[in-house]
Amino acid sequence: MIRTNNIKYKYPGGKDMVFPDIQCSSSEMLLVLGTSGVGKTTLLHLLGGLLSSQHGNIQIGEIDMTKLSGAEADHFRGKNIGIVFQQNHFVDALSVIENVTLAQTLAGNKVDKKAAQNILDRLNIGDKADHAIKNLSQGEKQRVAIARALINQPKVILADEPTSALDDSNCNEVLDLLQEQAKAVGSALVVVTHDTRLKDKINHQVIL
Amino acid sequence: MTIIQLAWRNIIKNPLNLLMSIILFGLGVGLISFLLLFNTQLKEKFDKNLADIDLVVGAKGSPLQMILCNMYHIDNPTGNIPIKNAAPLLKDLHPLIKKAIPLSLGDNYKAYRIVGTNHDLLELYGAKLKEGSLWAKDFEVTIGKSVADEAGLKLGDKFVSSHGFNEDDHTHDEYSFVVKGVLEGTGTVMDQLILTNTASIWLVHSGHGDEEAHDEEAHGPSIKENTEPAQEDQVQQNSNADLLHHMDQEITSVLIQYKSNKNFQALNFGRNINENTEMQSASPAIEMNRLYSMMGVGTDALNALALLIAIVSALSIFISLLKSMRERKYELAIIRVLGAGRSKVFLLIILEGLFLAIIGFIIGTFLSHVGMEILAKYLKADFRYSFTGMKWISEEWYVLGVSVVLGVLAALIPAIQAANTDINKTLSEK
């Protein structure tokens, strides 16, 4: 579902970063491991189209992302890529469920409140649907972020350090949730992390 | 959740942050709209009351005062003129004059002026009878709509007039007027007048000629000591010809309409009166223009002040949006991640500026109309002029237009900044 070929990136004044080719199919899981400073976040932003690649191809489904214009990339990302960040941000003026349905609107999909509630229920925060974001704990926010990334049933889910701030039990739980939900909607799941605890849990690995 | 809804939610999430700029904007809009409302209605009133009167002739004094007194009924007379002086104007054969209407002022009922005149006055203002009849005999009156509505006079009612123009001055209780007719509303000064014949005014004042001889100038026409006692005959003095039989009596002024005001002789006519008689003449159009230009300086200063407030408030909207945008940079980045293009983020901030401006406009419009309504109450009490805050004038659409433009302009730079935010950089910050 996602496949890269020979991608490189160079920040102004920085040195060339060369990334190994990766590949991950639907309902599968890929772990990209690397220590701090090797360009994990850069890779994730390239895969998500937040940065435009300077070299190589990024194929998602039938589309080569590197060929898309800025506006096309925004639209494509909304529809086909869900991203979970280490530190997640929300629209504070909206409730939990509205933050999820906002993802539907911005992707150009119809608002389906029932689907949003379902996904929140599956993540065990259904009872907080109408709460304000700022009243949630860090762990609850993480779940809302996962719900938001999944709501449009994207082809690819990118997760940036989803577990590094969590203790062992929460780490397992979040990973299980991600895995389970990605499978449920048939997405390819790419986890980028330096968290070595995940090493034993995901077989398919790439080291930066 | 559309972009419009999202913009609205962002505005109402933390209203206190934006309160200051909204109030400021509301004040600027309110002041501008108030000035528009007031000026429009004032000019409308003045213009309606011009009633195609070309010239006012009265006693020497301030020409503006004479106009304000005899046409707008908001000032005291400059004095009276003897009929023998005014006789050339009142004769039917004058080649320049189409209509010459005598006015005699001096009494009031509950601060509504009693005007001694003839039936031609009605035509000038397009006034029509609503019920009853026009005055015919002495002490019969026909009243304007406001007099009927506010002073509570009805057909057949009798009342006693008060002297001068303040209702608490002493009353002439030996003579009572009777209401014979009520006029339809015209929106002109006609609505607030009590009309009767000239002789009634003389009669009221003849009863105690001695005791008021000392203040007759200030109070209006009164009988000269040597007048023949024609008033006892209850003659109907409703035509100019009748007045000419009483050369020793006085009237306050004559309103004149020319046959053609393009005639160059008409231009000299007024000057002749001023130079060669003991009377003075004044053109309402010229005097009112003089008044407007005097008021204009004050209005211009207020307009400039209002515009300044509006611009400062737009600046304050600009600063609040810029600040709120910087606080929300992660939020805006996330919106981009979720699929919104730069144009949508741009639109979001523009819409927020627009909403602020529209809320400000609504507050300002509300304030100005309430303010106008309050002022209208005072104006009514003091001048018997009816203004209203309940009227929407077309200029207010321009104010809305300017508000919208200011709102968009204020949001422009923050919106451009928001659209150009580098999401990769923003989200890489830890």
Side-chain angles (χ1 to χ4, degrees):
Chain A
M1 196 51 88
I2 180 165
R3 199 176 63 236
T4 69
N5 176 25
N6 201 16
I7 50 176
K8 290 180 192 166
Y9 195 82
K10 181 175 180 291
Y11 286 103
K15 59 180 198 320
D16 259 344
M17 297 186 192
V18 182
F19 298 100
D21 294 348
I22 62 164
Q23 182 173 354
C24 183
S25 314
S26 301
S27 308
E28 283 190 4
M29 199 164 163
L30 169 70
L31 186 68
V32 179
L33 269 171
T35 49
S36 298
V38 293
K40 292 191 303 292
T41 299
T42 303
L43 175 62
L44 187 116
H45 285 187
L46 285 168
L47 296 179
L50 306 182
L51 265 183
S52 13
S53 166
Q54 294 156 335
H55 190 268
N57 314 97
I58 303 166
Q59 193 85 23
I60 292 180
E62 305 297 311
I63 305 292
D64 182 354
M65 284 246 290
T66 57
K67 300 277 189 294
L68 299 178
S69 73
E72 284 169 342
D74 288 331
H75 185 67
F76 183 82
R77 176 173 59 245
K79 268 197 147 37
N80 300 294
I81 305 172
I83 307 179
V84 181
F85 295 93
Q86 181 180 6
Q87 179 122 41
N88 286 289
H89 300 284
F90 301 90
V91 178
D92 288 337
L94 303 181
S95 69
V96 167
I97 193 161
E98 283 168 337
N99 264 283
V100 178
T101 55
L102 179 67
Q104 294 177 319
T105 313
L106 293 177
N109 293 336
K110 259 187 82 176
V111 169
D112 185 346
K113 227 178 156 184
K114 224 169 121 195
Q117 183 65 50
N118 267 339
I119 217 158
L120 289 171
D121 285 343
R122 288 210 308 266
L123 291 162
N124 287 326
I125 40 166
D127 55 331
K128 302 262 164 116
D130 294 319
H131 286 220
I133 290 286
K134 66 171 192 292
N135 296 335
L136 299 187
S137 71
Q138 208 51 47
E140 286 167 331
K141 280 184 183 171
Q142 185 89 351
R143 286 159 200 251
V144 179
I146 294 172
R148 186 174 65 185
L150 286 161
I151 188 69
N152 292 318
Q153 311 195 337
K155 293 195 170 79
V156 179
I157 293 171
L158 304 173
D160 187 10
E161 306 277 11
T163 55
S164 32
L166 305 175
D167 60 31
D168 286 354
S169 73
N170 272 314
C171 167
N172 283 336
E173 203 183 322
V174 165
L175 191 70
D176 287 346
L177 273 175
L178 266 173
Q179 217 163 355
E180 201 182 299
Q181 300 304 331
K183 230 173 215 152
V185 298
S187 309
L189 175 61
V190 179
V191 177
V192 179
T193 190
H194 72 268
D195 189 350
T196 44
R197 288 177 296 183
L198 302 181
K199 238 177 164 173
D200 310 327
K201 298 186 167 43
I202 304 169
N203 302 325
H204 189 174
Q205 296 178 359
V206 171
I207 314 250
L208 287 186
Chain B
M1 184 61 56
T2 62
I3 286 289
I4 296 174
Q5 287 170 309
L6 184 59
W8 179 247
R9 293 290 290 273
N10 281 332
I11 295 287
I12 59 171
K13 177 190 68 168
N14 208 340
L16 279 179
N17 277 351
L18 303 165
L19 199 64
M20 209 48 222
S21 26
I22 291 179
I23 287 180
L24 209 56
F25 199 80
L27 277 181
V29 168
L31 197 52
I32 291 174
S33 135
F34 177 81
L35 287 172
L36 282 173
L37 280 176
F38 182 72
N39 279 339
T40 308
Q41 293 194 35
L42 189 68
K43 207 155 176 0
E44 207 176 88
K45 290 265 174 234
F46 278 162
D47 287 351
K48 253 187 177 173
N49 285 329
L50 276 179
D52 290 330
I53 296 167
D54 293 314
L55 201 71
V56 178
V57 179
K60 284 208 190 289
S62 150
L64 182 58
Q65 184 188 348
M66 183 174 71
I67 300 286
L68 288 176
C69 168
N70 290 291
M71 290 185 53
Y72 299 97
H73 297 275
I74 47 179
D75 206 339
N76 292 322
T78 46
N80 295 311
I81 50 176
I83 288 185
K84 63 171 180 287
N85 291 354
L89 306 172
L90 296 170
K91 282 177 184 151
D92 278 345
L93 35 133
H94 199 289
L96 288 175
I97 296 173
K98 183 168 148 205
K99 263 186 202 144
I101 301 166
L103 291 188
S104 296
L105 309 175
D107 272 41
N108 77 82
Y109 174 69
K110 290 192 178 170
Y112 290 98
R113 278 193 180 174
I114 301 172
V115 178
T117 184
N118 64 33
H119 294 170
D120 285 348
L121 190 67
L122 297 177
E123 248 173 80
L124 279 185
Y125 293 94
K128 289 192 185 70
L129 261 180
K130 189 173 147 214
E131 50 187 356
S133 60
L134 295 181
W135 66 99
K137 297 195 192 115
D138 293 348
F139 294 108
E140 291 183 350
V141 301
T142 302
I143 61 177
K145 184 175 186 296
S146 308
V147 186
D149 293 348
E150 324 254 331
L153 285 178
K154 305 184 297 290
L155 228 51
D157 278 0
K158 291 194 172 170
F159 64 91
V160 174
S161 68
S162 312
H163 206 23
F165 298 105
N166 300 317
E167 52 180 316
D168 4 305
D169 283 7
H170 75 269
T171 54
H172 293 284
D173 23 7
E174 58 268 53
Y175 297 105
S176 71
F177 290 90
V178 56
V179 179
K180 279 290 180 181
V182 179
L183 298 175
E184 275 177 20
T186 56
T188 69
V189 73
M190 267 298 151
D191 295 353
Q192 65 222 33
L193 296 181
I194 299 171
L195 304 172
T196 185
N197 66 6
T198 310
S200 303
I201 305 288
W202 295 339
L203 285 170
V204 168
H205 291 260
S206 69
H208 31 196
D210 281 344
E211 85 186 53
E212 44 179 86
H214 61 279
D215 60 3
E216 69 182 35
E217 280 296 293
H219 281 147
S222 64
I223 299 257
K224 293 275 185 204
E225 296 300 326
N226 58 351
T227 313
E228 70 267 44
Q231 58 272 25
E232 301 304 325
D233 307 335
Q234 298 278 299
V235 283
Q236 301 173 17
Q237 280 158 339
N238 278 325
S239 77
N240 291 351
D242 293 332
L243 290 181
L244 295 173
H245 293 132
H246 301 271
M247 284 297 190
D248 291 323
Q249 297 277 28
E250 292 184 329
I251 54 175
T252 307
S253 66
V254 184
L255 306 180
I256 288 175
Q257 205 173 27
Y258 293 136
K259 281 181 179 148
S260 157
N261 55 10
K262 291 194 183 72
N263 190 331
F264 79 96
Q265 280 183 290
L267 297 172
N268 287 327
F269 183 68
R271 197 185 304 151
N272 265 329
I273 292 177
N274 288 336
E275 288 172 3
N276 302 325
T277 73
E278 283 162 34
M279 303 180 293
Q280 84 169 333
S281 72
S283 148
I286 291 171
E287 293 305 319
M288 289 323 283
N289 276 336
R290 219 158 59 86
L291 183 63
Y292 288 144
S293 64
M294 285 190 287
M295 289 194 321
V297 180
T299 314
D300 287 350
L302 275 176
N303 268 330
L305 181 70
L307 201 65
L308 193 70
I309 295 179
I311 289 169
V312 169
S313 63
L315 213 62
S316 122
I317 288 185
F318 163 71
I319 292 166
S320 350
L321 280 178
L322 207 61
K323 188 165 152 268
S324 121
M325 195 211 81
R326 292 208 170 129
E327 283 164 2
R328 288 185 295 151
K329 64 177 180 178
Y330 296 113
E331 228 178 282
L332 293 169
I334 277 297
I335 290 170
R336 290 285 310 281
V337 169
L338 293 177
R342 291 176 191 279
S343 56
K344 259 196 180 147
V345 174
F346 178 82
L347 188 65
L348 179 71
I349 305 292
I350 292 285
L351 282 171
E352 289 182 18
L354 205 56
F355 278 134
L356 288 177
I358 290 173
I359 297 171
F361 171 79
I362 292 171
I363 291 175
T365 302
F366 176 76
L367 285 179
S368 69
H369 282 259
V370 168
M372 189 66 220
E373 194 62 22
I374 292 169
L375 182 72
K377 292 242 151 55
Y378 282 107
L379 287 177
K380 193 148 203 167
D382 289 351
F383 297 112
R384 305 284 171 202
Y385 265 48
S386 53
F387 284 80
T388 176
M390 297 301 165
K391 213 167 107 187
W392 177 269
I393 59 171
S394 55
E395 280 86 346
E396 287 178 84
W397 292 116
Y398 291 109
V399 178
L400 177 61
V402 171
S403 305
V404 165
V405 169
L406 279 179
V408 171
L409 280 182
L412 204 57
I413 291 174
I416 290 171
Q417 280 201 9
N420 287 338
T421 303
D422 187 337
I423 41 175
N424 157 60
K425 223 160 128 189
T426 307
L427 291 172
S428 301
E429 290 169 17
K430 292 280 152 70

